[in-house]
Amino acid sequence: MSAKDLFHNAVKIVLQKEGWLITHDPMLIRLGGIEMQIDLGAEKIIAADKDGQKIAVEVKSFLGTSAISDFHTALGQFLNYRLALEEQDPKRILYLAVPEDTYYTFFALQFIQGAIKRYQLKLIIYDPQREVIVRWER
């Protein structure tokens, strides 16, 4: 079992504050002989939407010694998890949860913005201290 990210519980709390029901913690996916664990799976039941919404969230803190190395790891995991979800749970949308300070500094860099656009990353930007979602990038 992999170690949970430092801000795992903060992201879980922010999702619950916004009405998401945590359905998986972690969300286990097996595909092609590989076992993967996405940090969280969640559903939001909306009265006006019969199907509701389903998401999976990979939480990253970006507290390592190299932000670009952390980004490489996060991007690789995101792409693998998205591929696995397309096969096993295609209605579930994958998000990468990123702390607010990292988003407004490192993620603002031109290269990172290009990677986000190229790989169509969906982001949840959160404030780990106030435990709130600052922004969704869909």
Side-chain angles (χ1 to χ4, degrees):
M1 180 174 204
S2 62
K4 289 184 179 176
D5 187 86
L6 178 64
F7 297 137
H8 179 94
N9 285 333
V11 172
K12 187 174 175 179
I13 290 169
V14 302
L15 289 170
Q16 290 170 327
K17 282 182 176 179
E18 292 215 352
W20 291 91
L21 173 66
I22 303 300
T23 58
H24 302 79
D25 184 8
M27 182 174 185
L28 182 63
I29 303 269
R30 289 186 181 101
L31 182 66
I34 301 293
E35 184 173 288
M36 298 172 250
Q37 291 185 0
I38 303 172
D39 288 322
L40 297 167
E43 291 183 29
K44 190 167 194 175
I45 307 300
I46 300 173
D49 182 355
K50 290 180 183 176
D51 295 331
Q53 299 173 26
K54 295 165 98 179
I55 61 174
V57 181
E58 181 61 19
V59 180
K60 291 296 174 201
S61 61
F62 288 88
L63 297 175
T65 56
S66 169
I68 193 67
S69 290
D70 289 349
F71 182 72
H72 289 159
T73 299
L75 179 60
Q77 287 177 317
F78 186 92
L79 295 175
N80 288 338
Y81 296 166
R82 185 168 60 194
L83 179 64
L85 284 173
E86 286 171 2
E87 292 287 326
Q88 298 212 344
D89 196 351
K91 289 186 176 182
R92 193 174 298 271
I93 298 170
L94 180 63
Y95 284 87
L96 178 64
V98 179
E100 180 180 29
D101 60 340
T102 301
Y103 177 77
Y104 287 113
T105 56
F106 181 71
F107 274 60
L109 298 174
Q110 184 179 5
F111 178 80
I112 302 304
Q113 284 294 308
I116 291 168
K117 185 175 179 180
R118 165 77 58 95
Y119 299 110
Q120 301 175 349
L121 300 183
K122 298 184 183 312
L123 303 173
I124 297 173
I125 296 92
Y126 63 93
D127 180 332
Q129 279 70 46
R130 293 184 302 136
E131 295 180 336
V132 295
I133 292 176
V134 175
R135 181 177 173 163
W136 290 80
E137 285 200 2
R138 296 180 166 120

